[in-house]
């Protein structure tokens, strides 16, 4: 089964930055839109950002607009999530998943994605 693998999480102080990476093993990621989601303890998984297969379309949750940037390098089979000005409320396990090439109107719904990775932990200290 095709698997996505996240990396780049860690501990950072509030106001700091991290860059998460999502790599697809086995087959190119270039044919798929990719979404980033996060889940904090005791909370539901929530949408963070998504990018179409060409990178021409991006969406962001209101809570991260202006602070997070999603991008992709299909030559490296990787999708990135640059996270700046991190806040304690950004702390969560971050997941990437493969979706429709042009994402679709329900891009923020987790059931529109599959091939979820194992997640990478982001901790933000205040």
């Amino acid at each position: 089964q095709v698997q996505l693998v996240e990396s780049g999480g860690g501990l950072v102080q509030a106001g700091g930055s991290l860059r998460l990476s999502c790599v697809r093993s086995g087959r190119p990621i270039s044919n798929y839109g990719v979404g980033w989601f996060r889940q904090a303890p005791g909370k539901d998984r929530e949408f963070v950002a998504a990018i179409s297969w060409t990178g021409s379309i991006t969406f962001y949750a209101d809570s991260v607009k202006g602070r997070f940037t999603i991008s992709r390098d299909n030559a490296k089979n990787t999708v990135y999530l640059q996270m700046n000005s991190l806040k304690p409320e950004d702390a969560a396990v971050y997941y990437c998943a493969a979706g429709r090439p042009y994402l679709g109107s329900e891009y923020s719904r987790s059931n529109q994605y599959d091939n979820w990775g194992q997640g990478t932990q982001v901790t933000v200290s205040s």
Side-chain angles (χ1 to χ4, degrees):
Q1 183 177 356
V2 174
Q3 185 73 38
L4 299 183
V5 179
E6 305 93 339
S7 63
L11 172 63
V12 64
Q13 288 188 331
S17 298
L18 285 172
R19 188 176 77 161
L20 306 184
S21 297
C22 172
V23 179
R24 186 182 183 190
S25 63
R27 297 181 68 180
I29 203 172
S30 57
N31 294 337
Y32 296 86
V34 172
W36 282 98
F37 290 74
R38 65 188 182 187
Q39 188 167 18
K43 295 187 177 181
D44 293 333
R45 188 169 295 188
E46 65 173 355
F47 170 76
V48 176
I51 189 166
S52 63
W53 73 288
T54 62
S56 61
I57 302 170
T58 58
F59 296 107
Y60 296 92
D62 288 343
S63 59
V64 306
K65 278 182 183 176
R67 300 188 297 122
F68 291 12
T69 302
I70 189 170
S71 63
R72 65 190 303 155
D73 184 341
N74 287 338
K76 295 184 178 180
N77 219 31
T78 304
V79 172
Y80 303 99
L81 185 67
Q82 177 68 42
M83 306 187 298
N84 298 329
S85 303
L86 282 161
K87 304 175 181 180
E89 53 263 43
D90 293 318
V93 177
Y94 282 71
Y95 301 89
C96 64
R100 298 177 181 180
Y102 285 105
L103 302 175
S105 60
E106 298 188 332
Y107 59 86
S108 64
R109 299 172 66 93
S110 59
N111 62 6
Q112 297 299 302
Y113 297 84
D114 54 22
N115 300 127
W116 292 82
Q118 296 297 310
T120 185
Q121 177 72 51
V122 172
T123 304
V124 184
S125 62
S126 57

